[in-house]
Amino acid sequence: MSAPNSSYDPVEVTPLHPDEVARMRDEALSAIEAAGDLDELKEVRLAHASDRSPLALANREIGALPPAAKADAGKRVGGARRDVGQALKARQAVLENERDERVLVEERVDVTLPWDRTPRGARHPLTTVAERMTDVFVGMGFEVAEGPEVEAEWFNFDALNFEPDHPARTMQDTFFVENDEGGDSGMVMRTHTSPVQVRALLERELPVYVVAPGKTFRTDELDATHTPVFHQLEGLVVDRGITLAHLRGAIDAFVGAVFGEGLRTRFRASYFPFTEPSAEVDMECFVCRGSSVGNPEAPCRTCASEGWIEIGGCGVVNPRVLRAAGVDPEEYSGWAFGLGIERTLMFAHGVRDMRDMVEGDIRFSSAFGSEI
Ligand code: DAH
């Protein structure tokens, strides 16, 4: 009589014993429950749900079972693994939620808070351009001279050989400063930097080689091409044996340094009371270099197709000015120039509207960088 086949009892295979499977499952479930964050849960997943976890190893044992026992063991182990998988998924969702909430709190940005970063300022481009212009002459050995912005009429006009009825003295051009009674104080807001010429000659030993950058004032309305407060760079050389050739050389060096090497300059005869002869200084247009002249196909915005750009006035110092400053014109001679700083900035940097220079909008200055 044949006995039932009991030579292989699955109950005897320890990892597949129902109690053991339940124990492995419970151990996994409590480890999952205990995982406090996503990193810990990752460890738990490795320990209890990877290919090398006890349940996975138990699963491998099933293949060795006789067919009758396979289904039962498979159901138990499969059920346990499913439970572990679901618990992992659920815990993962809970922990991700917790993490997201924590991140939202910890990394919260209050967009309504006031901005607490002080933006870096920028020096006004007129200041930096004036310094660059001045440096060109300092590099040639000139010193920097100064004078007051509220100036005696004598320095601003008389010493510079302006006749008492010269049109520049009239109310149209000059800001006159009243005295306490509202009358004539003899003072004006200087209309140019040329009075510094006389001050420099009175204050310094000869020979004099100076430049004087500074503010000047005229009763102009503010518009795209005029401003009542503007800036000039005055230059003065008084020495023995000084000629116009030295002036030409100094102007050429300035144009080369600020606008580019090799640009031609020209002097056009003009009139200023304090120089004789006098000239307007033009430089070749650094954009078209004259190619736009008479060429409507290729107009130049920079020089308005003139080919030349006016940058200032100059001349040989009038002997009357030297005499007014106590210098003997028989022994000494000299020349002077006055360059527009606004004009230099406008041409060198393509600034089209003077109002941009005076409105004080930091965005205008910042565009020139934070040069120190
Ligand atoms: N002071 C003149 C002006 O404001 C400019 C000028 C012309 C200055 C000739 C000079 C010079 O020193 O020699 O229009």
Side-chain angles (χ1 to χ4, degrees), residues 191-194 197 218 232 234-235 272 274-275 279 312-315 336-338:
T191 58
H192 50 178
T193 43
S194 299
Q197 290 185 29
R218 286 186 202 172
Q232 294 183 335
E234 193 77 17
F272 299 101
F274 40 91
T275 43
C314 67
F337 62 78

Side-chain angles (χ1 to χ4, degrees), residues 223-256:
D223 64 24
T225 52
H226 296 88
T227 156
V229 183
F230 54 106
H231 299 76
Q232 294 183 335
L233 180 74
E234 193 77 17
L236 173 71
V237 167
V238 174
D239 201 347
R240 292 189 177 93
I242 287 298
T243 74
L244 264 184
H246 302 125
L247 169 60
R248 193 67 186 273
I251 295 285
D252 282 357
F254 165 77
V255 168

Side-chain angles (χ1 to χ4, degrees), residues 303-314:
C303 65
S305 300
E306 299 266 333
W308 295 94
I309 295 168
E310 188 187 319
I311 56 171
C314 67

Side-chain angles (χ1 to χ4, degrees), residues 80-255:
R81 295 182 83 194
R82 205 168 29 252
D83 290 349
V84 171
Q86 279 170 1
L88 272 172
K89 217 171 149 193
R91 188 74 187 140
Q92 174 88 15
V94 168
L95 291 175
E96 278 179 0
N97 241 339
E98 277 179 21
R99 180 210 47 204
D100 290 351
E101 268 169 33
R102 193 177 56 245
V103 165
L104 279 179
V105 172
E106 283 173 1
E107 298 178 12
R108 190 171 66 117
V109 175
D110 183 352
V111 293
T112 67
L113 277 177
W115 196 30
D116 64 353
R117 259 183 243 163
T118 315
R120 233 182 335 150
R123 297 176 77 210
H124 198 282
L126 277 174
T127 311
T128 46
V129 163
E131 275 177 14
R132 202 168 306 149
M133 293 168 72
T134 304
D135 281 351
V136 174
F137 292 98
V138 168
M140 288 188 257
F142 285 60
E143 292 177 349
V144 177
E146 287 185 332
E149 292 169 2
V150 181
E151 182 58 283
E153 239 177 286
W154 187 82
F155 280 108
N156 196 80
F157 293 127
D158 301 78
L160 291 169
N161 192 37
F162 282 81
E163 297 295 327
D165 57 354
H166 192 284
R169 294 202 188 208
T170 68
M171 292 298 279
Q172 285 168 19
D173 280 315
T174 309
F175 285 110
F176 288 91
V177 178
E178 291 181 348
N179 62 19
D180 288 347
E181 283 83 47
D184 181 2
S185 69
M187 305 292 280
V188 296
M189 302 303 291
R190 68 178 178 195
T191 58
H192 50 178
T193 43
S194 299
V196 184
Q197 290 185 29
V198 183
R199 289 184 173 273
L201 289 175
L202 288 172
E203 286 165 11
R204 291 164 192 256
E205 299 287 324
L206 291 167
V208 163
Y209 289 76
V210 291
V211 278
K215 271 199 178 70
T216 49
F217 308 82
R218 286 186 202 172
T219 55
D220 282 325
E221 291 293 332
L222 178 64
D223 64 24
T225 52
H226 296 88
T227 156
V229 183
F230 54 106
H231 299 76
Q232 294 183 335
L233 180 74
E234 193 77 17
L236 173 71
V237 167
V238 174
D239 201 347
R240 292 189 177 93
I242 287 298
T243 74
L244 264 184
H246 302 125
L247 169 60
R248 193 67 186 273
I251 295 285
D252 282 357
F254 165 77
V255 168

